Amino acid sequence: MARDGDINEPTSRFPDTDLHPDDRSDVPPPPPSGGGAARALLWVLGAAALAVVVLLGVQTTGILPEFRNPFSKEQTDRSQPALLESMQDLSRYVAAEGNFQVVVDLQNDRRNVPDWLLNQRTLFVGSGSVEAYVDFGTLTEGAIVQSADGKSVEIKLPAPQLAETNLDLDKSYVFAEERGLLNRVGDLIGGDPNRQQQVYQLAEDRITAAARDSGLIARAEENTRKMLVGLLASLGFEHVTVTYVAP
């Protein structure tokens, strides 16, 4: 079958382009695929990890000095040395001690002001101790009466007292705290370094009240009586009577 003469003629140009076949070297190569970039990134990460492992191994062997974190936390203590203000002799006999824990729920807000705007509520767990003591320094003449035969003795002591509550800040902590928007803004501007003082004082008051109702005074009376009876019995007294008088 006959064919047109143009069909067997060699094509001189690429379709849709003006470039000659001999000029194909000027065509820019296709951009690298995404897989090549990912492989390059993996090579970089692998090299960095290998370098870290090598450095840590060298540091462990002691060849290089220890590396320090340039952003590590540092603490500087610029406190002044303690100054002794006074010294006094004590004549207290601590006969009992009570350990207490209290949960303080204190809220400070304003009437007709929403809590999200102005509010301060603190849940504080306070742990503290109270000592019950007898002050032998207040004994007067005639407080100790010995019998004629030297076998009996009567002692009149002041009633035990409660010492001040010792709030243990190492065991006390703020469990939860809610603060309004204006309260938080105030903290950013200036803040109140003593705002927890009210919570501490309230915890101490609660513990002191609990100590008064806990029977700590009666425990101190009994312990003091046992101590004196044992001490004076070792000195040869057969009968020891201990009474307490109100201060």
Side-chain angles (χ1 to χ4, degrees), residues 107-121 178-183:
Q107 182 173 1
N108 294 319
D109 55 7
R110 296 292 182 89
R111 295 181 57 184
N112 302 322
V113 178
D115 290 344
W116 65 267
L117 184 61
L118 188 62
N119 174 47
Q120 180 177 336
R121 182 180 179 184
E178 297 178 358
R179 297 179 61 77
L181 178 60
L182 294 181
N183 301 95

Side-chain angles (χ1 to χ4, degrees), residues 1-244:
M1 181 174 60
R3 297 183 180 180
D4 295 336
D6 297 336
I7 294 179
N8 295 327
E9 292 294 329
T11 303
S12 61
R13 297 182 182 274
F14 287 100
D16 300 331
T17 180
D18 296 334
L19 294 178
H20 191 271
D22 297 334
D23 298 330
R24 282 178 295 175
S25 59
D26 297 333
V27 179
S33 62
R39 285 194 297 271
L41 180 59
L42 290 177
W43 275 103
V44 172
L45 294 178
L50 180 61
V52 171
V53 172
V54 172
L55 290 176
L56 290 178
V58 172
Q59 179 181 348
T60 304
T61 57
I63 299 177
L64 294 179
E66 181 181 358
F67 291 98
R68 297 182 57 187
N69 183 1
F71 305 103
S72 60
K73 182 179 179 180
E74 294 184 357
Q75 186 180 57
T76 303
D77 186 4
R78 296 187 177 89
S79 305
Q80 300 296 321
L83 177 64
L84 177 63
E85 293 184 347
S86 64
M87 185 180 298
Q88 58 185 6
D89 296 328
L90 298 179
S91 56
R92 296 179 176 181
Y93 171 69
V94 178
E97 182 184 49
N99 299 307
F100 302 86
Q101 186 178 81
V102 62
V103 178
V104 176
D105 186 354
L106 182 62
Q107 182 173 1
N108 294 319
D109 55 7
R110 296 292 182 89
R111 295 181 57 184
N112 302 322
V113 178
D115 290 344
W116 65 267
L117 184 61
L118 188 62
N119 174 47
Q120 180 177 336
R121 182 180 179 184
T122 304
L123 288 176
F124 177 76
V125 179
S127 297
S129 60
V130 180
E131 294 179 345
Y133 67 93
V134 176
D135 190 359
F136 289 103
T138 60
L139 292 178
T140 59
E141 186 177 355
I144 301 177
V145 179
Q146 183 178 347
S147 63
D149 58 2
K151 295 183 178 180
S152 301
V153 62
E154 181 181 356
I155 305 175
K156 295 182 179 180
L157 297 177
Q161 305 177 53
L162 295 178
E164 295 182 358
T165 299
N166 180 26
L167 189 64
D168 191 347
L169 297 181
D170 291 335
K171 298 180 180 179
S172 304
Y173 57 93
V174 175
F175 179 76
E177 189 174 39
E178 297 178 358
R179 297 179 61 77
L181 178 60
L182 294 181
N183 301 95
R184 297 179 183 276
V185 172
D187 290 342
L188 294 176
I189 296 176
D192 183 9
N194 298 320
R195 65 184 178 89
Q196 296 292 350
Q197 189 64 31
Q198 186 179 9
V199 178
Y200 296 159
Q201 186 62 51
L202 188 57
E204 291 180 357
D205 295 341
R206 293 284 191 273
I207 293 176
T208 301
R212 294 195 188 100
D213 301 332
S214 65
L216 197 58
I217 293 292
R219 184 75 170 267
E221 289 181 355
E222 183 64 22
N223 291 342
T224 304
R225 181 179 288 108
K226 290 180 179 179
M227 183 271 296
L228 291 176
V229 170
L231 176 62
L232 295 176
S234 64
L235 298 177
F237 292 95
E238 298 178 359
H239 302 284
V240 179
T241 302
V242 178
T243 58
Y244 296 94

